Amino acid sequence: MSEHMPRITVIQSSPDVPMDRFAARLGGGVRLVLAFAGEEVPSLAEAGDAVVVLGGQMSAYADAEAPWLPATRALLADAAGAGVPALGICLGAQLLAVAGSGQVAVAAPPGREAGLVRVRWRDAAAADPVLGPVVAAAASRAGGGVVSRFVSMHADAVVELPPDAVWLGASAMYPYQAFRLGSALGVQFHPEASVELALRWAEGHDDVDTAALAAELEPHADELDAAGAVLADAFLAQVRAHAHAVRAHSS
């Protein structure tokens, strides 16, 4: 791809919530911003062809604890409004919701959603540029229905979508598992996370049984890897198409 490799800015808010499997899937054009280590969140003009905001241990409102969050919310809002592909994962999805005037509940009453989450896709997801291939893969499984399985690990949750958002997916425990705001997609689950990473997260939470989580996740490891790969590849395809259109318009 050489000079046409898309440039993707990835914002990491916690040292223990990395790109994991997405590091290989998104290719060599990634600029990783270690916000937790003091690296500055760029403006949209500096961010390149796309933005990814990873999860984190803080809440979407924890500006005092994580002073980069206001700039991250602004970056997501700017990307969504400007047609720049963006992906918010877990905390990233919550930041996107807040940026669009939605609401997040800290320590939401249903409790922590940990382990294997079954995301049931709403009709609009089939036409989504990123989730459409994920939905198609789920629908093609014999007897699978339009449900995809992913890793989940969160206690905060989106409880009100932004007014202009499109609701795309739900789980039994939390309804807003996926939504789109303009050109930005928010997912509450972790498509980037391997089973190994999920188990490391579990060890850090007193309210999670790590052995039980391993028993739940490990039989589905290949399926989880595949679903995450489909989502990453579809996002990268969207990024490439956007970058190509921008370059064609400017030439």
Side-chain angles (χ1 to χ4, degrees):
M1 289 175 55
S2 63
E3 72 270 20
H4 298 301
M5 179 180 294
R7 297 169 298 132
I8 303 173
T9 291
V10 179
I11 310 297
Q12 184 174 343
S13 289
S14 292
D16 59 343
V17 189
M19 292 180 66
D20 202 23
R21 294 178 307 174
F22 274 20
R25 302 302 306 188
L26 295 184
V30 167
R31 172 194 176 188
L32 181 60
V33 176
L34 303 178
F36 65 87
E39 295 184 2
E40 185 175 356
V41 174
S43 68
L44 183 61
E46 300 165 330
D49 299 305
V51 173
V52 176
V53 178
L54 301 172
Q57 300 295 349
M58 66 289 299
S59 86
Y61 300 110
D63 296 358
E65 173 190 350
W68 61 89
L69 293 186
T72 305
R73 291 194 298 266
L75 177 60
L76 284 167
D78 290 345
V84 175
L87 174 63
I89 298 172
C90 198
L91 171 64
Q94 296 164 13
L95 290 168
L96 175 62
V98 173
S101 299
Q103 296 291 325
V104 170
V106 177
R112 184 177 300 279
E113 187 175 52
L116 190 72
V117 64
R118 293 166 174 82
V119 180
R120 182 165 296 279
W121 302 114
R122 293 168 61 84
D123 290 347
D128 187 82
V130 176
L131 294 181
V134 180
V135 174
S140 69
R141 293 198 311 269
V146 192
V147 174
S148 297
R149 295 175 177 87
F150 293 98
V151 166
S152 182
M153 186 66 70
H154 70 104
D156 299 354
V158 176
V159 292
E160 182 179 333
L161 290 178
D164 297 329
V166 179
W167 183 17
L168 299 172
S171 73
M173 192 169 187
Y174 285 106
Y176 301 127
Q177 288 288 334
F179 65 94
R180 177 166 291 281
L181 183 64
S183 57
L185 173 67
V187 295
Q188 182 61 75
F189 52 86
H190 282 278
E192 86 291 4
S194 61
V195 171
E196 292 77 14
L197 179 59
L199 296 180
R200 291 202 298 273
W201 289 339
E203 290 171 354
H205 296 293
D206 293 339
D207 57 350
V208 180
D209 183 331
T210 303
L213 200 73
E216 180 181 42
L217 290 175
E218 286 171 352
H220 299 280
D222 289 345
E223 180 185 350
L224 294 169
D225 286 350
V230 171
L231 192 151
D233 290 350
F235 178 69
L236 188 56
Q238 182 196 25
V239 174
R240 286 173 173 156
H242 169 74
H244 177 77
V246 169
R247 292 186 180 102
H249 180 73
S250 59
S251 63

